[in-house]
Amino acid sequence: MSAPPLIVLTGAGISAESGLATFRDNNGLWERHRVEAVATPEAFARDPALVHRFYNARRAQLADPAIRPNAAHHALARLFAAWPGPALLVTQNVDDLHDRAMPGSAALLHMHGELKKIRCTGCGHGREWAGDLSPQTPCPGCAATGTLRPDIVWFGEMPLGMERIEAALHSCGLFLSIGTSGQVYPAAGFCAALRGRARTVELNLEPSLGSHLFSEAIQGKATEIVPGYVETLLSKQKQ
Ligand code: APR
């Protein structure tokens, strides 16, 4: 059987059982902050020290040995290693759990940026960053201060890799959406864009806002439903 071009979209729900908080499951607060207070260019302009402290804490959390890829991240790594057709893993997550489960994979695209990357708004220098940032941290590229920011896509900013995502959507035959509430565009619109052209499957703890648009919706915890779904898909490909 020939394999349809695959896109998997993931959101915070896939990392929840690894110990990372989702965005909208806690009365609209993300780690006790309103999203608009820490995840907008306006918030950064108003109080860069607060925004840096917030992202420093999120980045430091990734170094906690208890925070590890879970069975759902590993199942997707198996899927991507074995899928015989084109495949793209688009994550909205800024954590590095997919990266750790499938190191060096060219199929992984962080459309909302990465906690472990920073960039300079002055000279454009970008690099990996494991430690803390503050408004006083000099840019390793141009030595300016006050210009470094987390390489995260904030509300109102353009997601990364959209050309590649749109090209993949154009030819997609199978779309899986895992652990995302479907509230943030453009990712929330991918399923509707594929309607009638691709098989679309939602795997989420609860039905998302756009759940009715999918060909199939499976409810449960990611670690419980994703590995089984992946094994079924792979065994169908072998038939
Ligand atoms: N397994 C599967 N799904 C889960 C689990 C779990 N263990 N726990 C929670 N979920 C589901 C929730 O039911 C919810 O529908 O994951 C979804 C998480 O939704 P959000 O918190 O809204 O996260 P996400 O969809 O990734 O947010 C999108 O919003 O704030 C921005 O840029 C940020 O990338 C983020 C974007």
Side-chain angles (χ1 to χ4, degrees):
M1 192 191 263
S2 71
L6 169 71
I7 301 179
V8 179
L9 171 71
T10 64
I14 197 167
S15 295
E17 291 162 84
S18 292
L20 297 177
T22 62
F23 297 95
R24 295 181 181 78
D25 288 331
N26 305 291
N27 305 317
L29 298 184
W30 182 24
E31 297 283 0
R32 297 184 299 284
H33 290 269
R34 279 182 311 109
V35 170
E36 313 81 66
V38 288
T40 60
E42 293 76 20
F44 189 55
R46 196 168 48 238
D47 193 345
L50 168 79
V51 173
H52 278 311
R53 275 200 307 278
F54 178 78
Y55 284 99
N56 288 345
R58 308 279 72 72
R59 200 179 298 113
Q61 208 177 7
L62 297 182
D64 179 340
I67 306 289
R68 296 187 295 272
N70 63 45
H73 297 102
H74 289 301
L76 290 184
R78 283 197 297 283
L79 177 63
F80 276 74
W83 194 250
L88 182 64
L89 175 51
V90 180
T91 187
Q92 299 171 89
N93 298 343
V94 295
D95 66 54
D96 63 346
L97 298 181
H98 284 305
D99 309 66
R100 288 194 236 169
M102 41 199 283
S105 171
L108 175 60
L109 194 162
H110 281 272
M111 71 179 290
H112 290 168
E114 294 173 65
L115 273 172
K116 288 169 87 171
K117 285 190 179 164
I118 60 164
R119 69 184 158 85
C120 174
T121 54
C123 71
H125 179 83
R127 65 162 56 195
E128 307 264 325
W129 196 263
D132 286 350
L133 273 189
S134 82
Q136 288 74 44
T137 313
C139 168
C142 67
T145 53
T147 54
L148 290 177
R149 58 167 281 179
D151 199 359
I152 301 278
V153 177
W154 287 324
F155 282 93
E157 297 183 321
M158 178 63 85
L160 306 175
M162 284 311 295
E163 271 184 30
R164 187 174 171 203
I165 294 170
E166 272 157 20
L169 285 169
H170 191 72
S171 57
C172 179
L174 176 62
F175 175 75
L176 311 182
S177 174
I178 303 174
T180 174
S181 62
Q183 296 198 33
V184 174
Y185 284 83
F190 293 168
C191 175
L194 287 167
R195 251 186 132 178
R197 291 195 290 122
R199 179 163 179 75
T200 55
V201 184
E202 172 172 275
L203 299 112
N204 204 50
L205 192 58
E206 61 200 1
S208 71
L209 274 186
S211 202
H212 58 285
L213 298 174
F214 285 82
S215 325
E216 185 185 358
I218 300 169
Q219 270 101 53
K221 290 183 176 180
T223 61
E224 291 168 8
I225 58 177
V226 175
Y229 190 81
V230 163
E231 292 324 312
T232 308
L233 265 185
L234 288 177
S235 62
K236 274 192 198 147
Q237 284 310 313
K238 284 188 199 129
Q239 281 163 19

